[in-house]
Amino acid sequence: MNGPVDQMRELAVPGSFVRPLAVHEDRRGSFAKGFSAEQLAPLGLDIDVAELFWSWSHRGVIRGMHAQLPPRGAARVVICLSGRILDVVHDLRPGNEPKTDSVVLDGQSPAAVHVPVGVAHGFQVLSETALVAYLASDDHAPDYDTGVRWDSFGMVWPIMPPILSDRDAALPTGAELLASTAGRARS
């Protein structure tokens, strides 16, 4: 297995998991497998990878909270390859309580966070820099791309003020997103 399954734990957001990754070290350095569809599918963590992204960010940066709406919803697997981040998930699925959870990911102790469709994802960089990789189950679809503003759902971010992109600063609040998606569903 590519990570100790007995150490995998579900986060407060249903369907979101954090899974430590097995790291193999020798005189050359270290090696870890971050993803195996065959090994994860029996656990209900079935994701067909369509895209791979990575970001390099500085201390205090918040990237998120991003989601892609159905019918182009995308599940994600997130791994901090270098540095240290606070990784955050927030449930946007209709009918679910809007729960939030977070976990610290560190490149020195690799773990993967599994984010299901309908759950917004973001992170804040805690180290001087961080390199974060994301696997996504669908191609980026701008017409379905959305999210919630970082300060609109009760998350306490450790580094203030954050560094944000203009796009992330302009994301809707949770209530605004709910109103806009309800309107989309009726049309």
Side-chain angles (χ1 to χ4, degrees):
M1 179 59 75
N2 60 341
V5 175
D6 60 337
Q7 294 177 22
M8 183 169 71
R9 71 176 174 89
E10 188 167 19
L11 300 173
V13 175
S16 297
F17 293 86
V18 61
R19 180 177 50 87
L21 302 177
V23 177
H24 306 281
E25 296 185 25
D26 63 23
R27 67 179 182 270
R28 299 168 297 169
S30 63
F31 178 84
K33 183 193 303 187
F35 178 78
S36 168
E38 182 178 313
Q39 293 172 344
L40 295 175
L43 303 173
L45 301 174
D46 195 9
I47 177 173
D48 291 325
V49 176
E51 291 186 319
L52 166 65
F53 301 93
W54 63 86
S55 65
W56 186 264
S57 305
H58 301 283
R59 180 177 173 79
V61 164
I62 292 177
R63 291 188 182 262
M65 297 290 296
H66 303 145
Q68 197 162 285
L69 298 173
R72 297 295 303 272
R76 285 145 295 167
V77 176
V78 180
I79 302 169
C80 181
L81 300 172
S82 175
R84 186 174 166 95
I85 64 171
L86 179 67
D87 202 65
V88 180
V89 291
H90 178 69
D91 205 336
L92 300 176
R93 295 171 288 193
N96 282 16
E97 183 181 336
K99 292 182 179 179
T100 302
D101 205 352
S102 64
V103 61
V104 173
L105 297 180
D106 188 324
Q108 295 299 309
S109 303
V113 172
H114 300 265
V115 184
V117 173
V119 173
H121 171 264
F123 64 87
Q124 185 171 45
V125 178
L126 304 176
S127 53
E128 287 306 308
T129 59
L131 177 62
V132 179
Y134 326 61
L135 302 170
S137 66
D138 197 355
D139 290 316
H140 180 244
D143 290 346
Y144 298 93
D145 188 35
T146 189
V148 293
R149 204 174 62 226
W150 67 279
D151 62 350
S152 70
F153 57 95
M155 181 66 200
V156 177
W157 300 91
I159 299 173
M160 297 299 289
I163 301 167
L164 303 164
S165 69
D166 292 342
R167 174 190 180 258
D168 289 354
L171 285 170
T173 66
E176 290 167 346
L177 180 62
L178 182 62
S180 72
T181 56
R184 179 184 265 186
R186 286 194 296 269
S187 52

